Amino acid sequence: MGKGGNQGEGATDREVPMPTFSWEEIQKHNLRTDRWLVIDRKVYNITKWSSRHPGGQRVIGHYAGEDATDAFHAFHRDLNFVSKFLKPLLIGELAPEEPSQDRGKNSQITEDFRALRKTAEDMNLFKSNHLFFLLLLAHVIAMESIAWFTVSYFGNGWIPTVITACVLATSQVQAGWLQHDYGHLSVYKKSMWNHLVHKFVIGHLKGASANWWNHRHFQHHAKPNIFYKDPDVNMLHVFVLGEWQPIEYGKKKLKYLPYNHQHEYFFLIGPPLLIPTYFQYQIIKTMIVRKDWVDLVWAISYYARFFITYVPFYGILGAILFLNFVRFLESHWFVWVTQMNHIAMEIDREPYRDWFSSQLSATCNVEQSFFNDWFSGHLNFQIEHQSLKKSGELWLDAYLHK
């Protein structure tokens, strides 16, 4: 039975031609209830399936109505396995006259980037050194042991306590950088081993949730520094970022805080409170609301280990205060490395750039050294100190002069 109907017994069936679509049609399907995307010029309807997407429906939904080829390759390690899930979702392909990139994206940059990536793959530059990551894990565990030994041997006086807290904060930060690599599935060839070690590091060594981190961080990489898509630039009305947001707030006379002074109160709110307050609340809430019981068990194992270790020295209340002091120290380190390297860059609404350009626009320059590599977990950056102050001044100008 071909397209032309019944041709009679013994007739050869004709292959039904693949429907073709224009970018104009595809771009209409970018709603929560109607999602299409393009991968390697093939058009897929992901509307119903997106809710079952292992990475979350938000991250895949951010590419609705767009070409997602490079994002697809970046996020999926085993392309042959993942491609099996795409087959039932295939509804057509781009019309022959349509370009591979939507909205006038730079096709030459995309081709050059893919060629560069292929060269790097052929040179085995993405091949991980297992011994390197084992040593990173070992040095985190060693710091945990040194912290316990310090307070055990020298007692719970102020000086040993402060030293122990600094060592623990350092181990927490380094564990955070380590879980980042496992969370990206970039250490082992098999995703299962990456997931397992990721849960151990972020759960047992840090008391956080792997699924919570994945949900946030994958969105960040999918659409870095894009309002309403990258959760890392959602400042909950505490700060205004970039150029568009402060002007928009000013025009609408939104004054939750005196944003023209945000470069000053940043030091009182950002580094001290992000991990001890906001992240802890979000992590616990997410695990309970989404019923991530596996992650919850891993997190409980961290807190059980911590309190078993330090309650004998400080008591229950003292151990709780001690834990929050460690989080307080960790938060400063974490904020300066992870937040400022993005806040210093362009932050705006969706500009619909090609994958390579969108990543570059949200990445600071890198200055390599042994210390910077270790201190930043290989997320080295250069900070542009005036970015927060500039955004605050833009808000004030728009607020006073609509």
Side-chain angles (χ1 to χ4, degrees), residues 137-151:
L137 177 60
H139 104 292
V140 169
I141 296 175
M143 282 187 285
E144 295 273 352
S145 302
I146 291 171
W148 172 83
F149 174 80
T150 300
V151 73

Side-chain angles (χ1 to χ4, degrees), residues 337-401:
V337 173
T338 64
Q339 299 300 307
M340 295 307 294
N341 61 353
H342 297 300
I343 292 176
M345 305 305 290
E346 178 184 336
I347 304 173
D348 207 341
R349 293 166 297 176
E350 177 62 83
Y352 295 108
R353 290 191 180 98
D354 61 272
W355 169 262
F356 184 60
S357 298
S358 68
Q359 302 301 312
L360 283 183
S361 67
T363 305
C364 288
N365 295 333
V366 175
E367 185 173 314
Q368 192 275 336
S369 72
F370 178 81
F371 176 77
N372 280 352
D373 288 350
W374 175 83
F375 184 84
S376 64
H378 303 87
L379 300 173
N380 309 3
F381 63 95
Q382 292 180 355
I383 301 173
E384 296 180 21
H385 294 281
Q386 300 300 317
S387 59
L388 277 174
K389 188 173 188 296
K390 178 181 178 183
S391 297
E393 290 172 343
L394 285 172
W395 167 82
L396 180 62
D397 182 66
Y399 184 86
L400 296 176
H401 309 96

Side-chain angles (χ1 to χ4, degrees), residues 46-80:
I46 61 167
T47 305
K48 295 181 179 180
W49 187 81
S50 61
S51 62
R52 295 184 284 118
H53 181 231
Q57 62 177 327
R58 286 189 180 181
V59 67
I60 194 172
H62 291 336
Y63 275 92
E66 296 183 51
D67 175 71
T69 302
D70 291 304
F72 175 77
H73 284 269
F75 280 107
H76 301 99
R77 191 174 182 90
D78 189 344
L79 295 178
N80 292 329

Side-chain angles (χ1 to χ4, degrees), residues 125-145:
L125 296 182
F126 297 134
K127 186 177 181 180
S128 62
N129 185 329
H130 293 173
L131 177 61
F132 172 78
F133 288 100
L134 180 62
L135 291 175
L136 286 179
L137 177 60
H139 104 292
V140 169
I141 296 175
M143 282 187 285
E144 295 273 352
S145 302

Side-chain angles (χ1 to χ4, degrees), residues 177-192:
W177 306 149
L178 182 60
Q179 68 82 24
H180 176 272
D181 292 317
Y182 285 106
H184 275 293
L185 310 181
S186 58
V187 179
Y188 303 115
K189 289 184 178 180
K190 290 188 176 182
S191 298
M192 179 187 70

Side-chain angles (χ1 to χ4, degrees), residues 265-298:
Y265 68 70
F266 168 79
F267 299 97
L268 301 175
I269 298 177
L273 299 179
L274 180 65
I275 290 180
T277 304
Y278 179 66
F279 273 7
Q280 288 303 302
Y281 168 75
Q282 284 291 321
I283 290 169
I284 295 173
K285 175 186 174 182
T286 299
M287 289 189 293
I288 294 175
V289 171
R290 297 188 179 181
K291 300 180 180 180
D292 289 333
W293 307 129
V294 173
D295 281 8
L296 185 60
V297 169
W298 278 111

